[in-house]
Amino acid sequence: MNQMYMIIAVAIIWVVAFAVSITIQMMRKKVEAQLVEKNTTKAIVHFYGNVSEIDGQDVALYHPVKGQMLDTIIALEPGHHTFVGSFQMTENGIVVKHKNYYATDINFAFDVEMSKTYHVGIYKENENNEKVILSLPLAVDGFSSRTLYLIATYE
């Protein structure tokens, strides 16, 4: 009988945790949609890392929001912008342990256009894609050193 109570308790905890996570995800989706709706004359930039400065100012002045993928989303005026950010990437291994790579305090810049959506993140490969507007090779330290790329794309 005690096992049955334990199974029921675990099931109830799982259902509550699932409901909370779905609610948080829906709130993030709503906030993201509101940001895009309010800023039709601006560019929307998704950062898959931590951005500390935009144009030499603290990122909090731009009212960032967290997106569905835990990315930082910011609406920017069209034009040239400079950024300082830190990014992390985990490479999953089958035979060996996972490898974490860190690139901190990276200075980068690119132009944004009105009504476009941009995605900025760190990747293993620099694919030849005509929508890539920034490809910055990074020599990063981690479990083993390698070259990764800070890539900005647009939709």
Side-chain angles (χ1 to χ4, degrees), residues 101-121:
Y101 299 101
Y102 303 93
T104 58
D105 296 328
I106 304 166
N107 292 302
F108 58 100
F110 59 90
D111 296 329
V112 296
E113 297 177 23
M114 181 175 71
S115 301
K116 286 192 177 177
T117 301
Y118 296 84
H119 300 273
V120 181

Side-chain angles (χ1 to χ4, degrees), residues 3-20:
Q3 273 186 328
M4 182 61 84
Y5 290 132
M6 196 153 62
I7 291 171
I8 291 172
V10 168
I12 290 171
I13 291 170
W14 183 85
V15 167
V16 169
F18 184 75
V20 168

Side-chain angles (χ1 to χ4, degrees), residues 87-155:
F87 297 86
Q88 175 185 351
M89 184 184 129
T90 301
E91 185 175 49
N92 297 326
I94 296 173
V95 179
V96 295
K97 293 176 95 176
H98 300 304
K99 299 175 188 174
N100 293 317
Y101 299 101
Y102 303 93
T104 58
D105 296 328
I106 304 166
N107 292 302
F108 58 100
F110 59 90
D111 296 329
V112 296
E113 297 177 23
M114 181 175 71
S115 301
K116 286 192 177 177
T117 301
Y118 296 84
H119 300 273
V120 181
I122 192 169
Y123 300 95
K124 289 193 307 187
E125 297 176 8
N126 183 3
E127 297 179 6
N128 292 329
N129 183 345
E130 59 269 359
K131 293 186 177 184
V132 171
I133 59 168
L134 170 74
S135 178
L136 181 65
L138 306 170
V140 296
D141 296 323
F143 184 75
S144 62
S145 295
R146 71 177 301 160
T147 300
L148 298 174
Y149 297 91
L150 179 68
I151 297 177
T153 61
Y154 70 90
E155 293 177 3

Side-chain angles (χ1 to χ4, degrees), residues 22-40:
I22 292 297
T23 303
I24 290 171
Q25 189 72 356
M26 288 173 36
M27 287 188 323
R28 285 190 180 135
K29 187 175 184 177
K30 182 179 177 183
V31 167
E32 186 176 337
Q34 288 173 344
L35 179 76
V36 171
E37 186 179 304
K38 286 181 189 176
N39 296 289
T40 57

Side-chain angles (χ1 to χ4, degrees), residues 69-80:
M69 303 296 289
L70 297 179
D71 50 331
T72 302
I73 306 170
I74 299 173
L76 294 174
E77 293 292 334
H80 186 76

